[in-house]
Amino acid sequence: MEKLVIQSRNSLKENQGFLNIKVNDFSKNLRNKHAKSYLHSCFKQAMEFSEIQEKTSYETRPLLQFYSLVSLCKVYCIIKNHTLNVTLTQLESLFSSHGASSQTRDDIRLNRSGTFVEFARLVGFPVTSGQLYSLKQLYERIPDLKSLIKVVYSIEGDCIKVLSENVWSLDTGIIDCNLSNEYIVSNLEDNTSILSNYPELNLELDDHEKNFWSVKSGYNYSDFLQFDCNLNLYLDKSRNGIKEILAIYLIFLKYSSLVRYKPKVWYEKMSSNEFLIIQNVLEYLFPKFWSLVTKELTNKNTYSYYTVS
């Protein structure tokens, strides 16, 4: 079993440094100079929009953050596709649209093609053209928002907390899951039905008849555990739902659309209870998205997030 390492020390700029090395290394092998220039341009845009967004208000920030993330997604797709003879025309066609569009006040519709569709394919999530997602549905997919959606919408969401901070060292920020006697502790001890979605897990009892979920031989914690910016760990109650990294992308797409085209609606949302969620998204899920992409592209067994104080 591989080690699951969770590290809260790396900053957004450190993640960007990791990716800069990856982009430079990959671009050396691209055969088309225009495609190479396109890749570097996308990464530069992702970096510069990221830098600018920190200095803006919540009235403007989602637009700049989305521009950064959509450029970062293009970088992800180019590298993950690993097509070294790709042409500029092919890239421009692949990313000719966002791949999803803002609909009503809260809904997003997935399209047939575009950046999001290609991103989702490479992440391993099949897209159904015309599929609608509401912001509430997307919020439910993100561990960081679990306590907030309970306050705002009176729902539990799809993420089940399974490990508390006091199980591991806050000084090092590391969980070593390479130990043969390592267990996942369930906070919802009567919720054994989730095991049907996780063939990786066994339900066991300790000497005090407390439930534990142990990982079967041949499986890795990092294949299915999620975590929030406070470094708590979660299982996904609805394992077939849209993946967290895609949900974050669509939330920023929706926010940016409201900021640009429906500022009245955006102001109304910021004046409502939903602002509790919006603030968390803008402050913490933007760097988290960069961290998830860094993990995917660099194969580093380190997840780097800002810790919520």
Side-chain angles (χ1 to χ4, degrees):
M1 182 183 295
E2 70 179 26
K3 291 184 179 181
L4 171 63
V5 181
I6 299 181
Q7 175 59 263
S8 63
R9 303 293 186 262
N10 288 4
S11 68
L12 175 59
K13 289 189 181 299
E14 287 173 313
N15 278 328
Q16 292 170 342
F18 292 142
L19 288 176
N20 186 47
I21 294 171
K22 182 67 177 182
V23 168
N24 287 332
D25 287 345
F26 182 81
S27 68
K28 293 175 185 176
N29 299 313
L30 286 175
R31 300 183 185 125
N32 185 294
K33 66 178 183 179
H34 300 297
K36 185 180 299 188
S37 177
Y38 186 93
L39 172 61
H40 282 286
S41 177
C42 287
F43 187 63
K44 186 174 183 179
Q45 288 177 28
M47 292 275 287
E48 292 186 358
F49 280 125
S50 174
E51 183 177 350
I52 296 170
Q53 61 85 26
E54 295 179 347
K55 304 175 179 126
T56 60
S57 68
Y58 290 158
E59 285 82 356
T60 307
R61 190 179 302 183
L63 188 60
L64 298 174
Q65 288 179 325
F66 179 67
Y67 287 161
S68 175
L69 297 190
V70 73
S71 295
L72 183 60
C73 282
K74 293 176 183 179
V75 171
Y76 175 94
C77 293
I78 293 169
I79 295 176
K80 273 291 186 178
N81 268 315
H82 205 75
T83 306
L84 300 180
N85 61 349
V86 66
T87 66
L88 178 61
T89 301
Q90 289 172 323
L91 291 177
E92 289 177 338
S93 175
L94 189 65
F95 304 127
S96 60
S97 68
H98 289 321
S101 54
S102 180
Q103 295 293 302
T104 63
R105 180 188 181 97
D106 288 294
D107 291 340
I108 301 165
R109 182 186 299 275
L110 304 188
N111 298 336
R112 188 181 304 275
S113 61
T115 304
F116 176 79
V117 176
E118 180 65 9
F119 182 44
R121 182 185 72 81
L122 292 168
V123 167
F125 182 78
V127 169
T128 301
S129 178
Q131 173 76 46
L132 286 176
Y133 286 100
S134 69
L135 279 173
K136 185 171 75 169
Q137 287 176 307
L138 298 173
Y139 293 155
E140 289 186 74
R141 304 297 300 155
I142 301 172
D144 305 76
L145 305 180
K146 180 175 176 62
S147 62
L148 297 176
I149 61 174
K150 188 172 184 177
V151 172
V152 176
Y153 297 108
S154 299
I155 56 176
E156 291 291 339
D158 292 333
C159 302
I160 298 177
K161 187 175 178 181
V162 293
L163 194 66
S164 299
E165 291 180 20
N166 59 9
V167 176
W168 52 278
S169 171
L170 287 172
D171 293 331
T172 62
I174 292 176
I175 300 176
D176 184 348
C177 290
N178 201 33
L179 305 176
S180 59
N181 61 346
E182 186 72 278
Y183 291 99
I184 299 176
V185 183
S186 169
N187 286 349
L188 301 177
E189 297 180 5
D190 59 341
N191 192 351
T192 58
S193 61
I194 194 173
L195 286 171
S196 62
N197 292 328
Y198 286 90
E200 303 95 332
L201 297 177
N202 283 319
L203 180 64
E204 302 181 16
L205 295 175
D206 67 2
D207 294 338
H208 305 287
E209 297 189 353
K210 183 179 179 66
N211 284 348
F212 286 86
W213 291 338
S214 64
V215 179
K216 297 177 184 177
S217 175
Y219 292 101
N220 297 313
Y221 282 79
S222 58
D223 292 337
F224 55 88
L225 280 178
Q226 294 177 283
F227 56 95
D228 62 21
C229 291
N230 278 323
L231 305 182
N232 297 303
L233 301 188
Y234 298 80
L235 290 175
D236 180 4
K237 184 168 61 177
S238 176
R239 203 171 185 185
N240 293 327
I242 189 169
K243 294 190 175 183
E244 178 188 12
I245 191 171
L246 301 178
I248 294 173
Y249 179 96
L250 290 179
I251 289 170
F252 277 101
L253 185 153
K254 183 65 181 182
Y255 283 3
S256 68
S257 179
L258 292 178
V259 166
R260 188 172 186 181
Y261 300 112
K262 301 286 185 181
K264 179 177 179 293
V265 174
W266 181 244
Y267 282 121
E268 289 172 353
K269 282 183 172 292
M270 289 201 299
S271 301
S272 70
N273 285 342
E274 192 180 351
F275 180 68
L276 294 172
I277 294 175
I278 291 172
Q279 186 177 31
N280 191 285
V281 169
L282 300 184
E283 293 292 340
Y284 303 116
L285 295 191
F286 178 76
K288 186 175 188 180
F289 189 93
W290 274 86
S291 296
L292 293 170
V293 171
T294 301
K295 169 67 168 60
E296 288 291 321
L297 290 183
T298 65
N299 294 317
K300 289 183 177 296
N301 207 12
T302 300
Y303 298 76
S304 315
Y305 298 159
Y306 288 157
T307 301
V308 181
S309 58

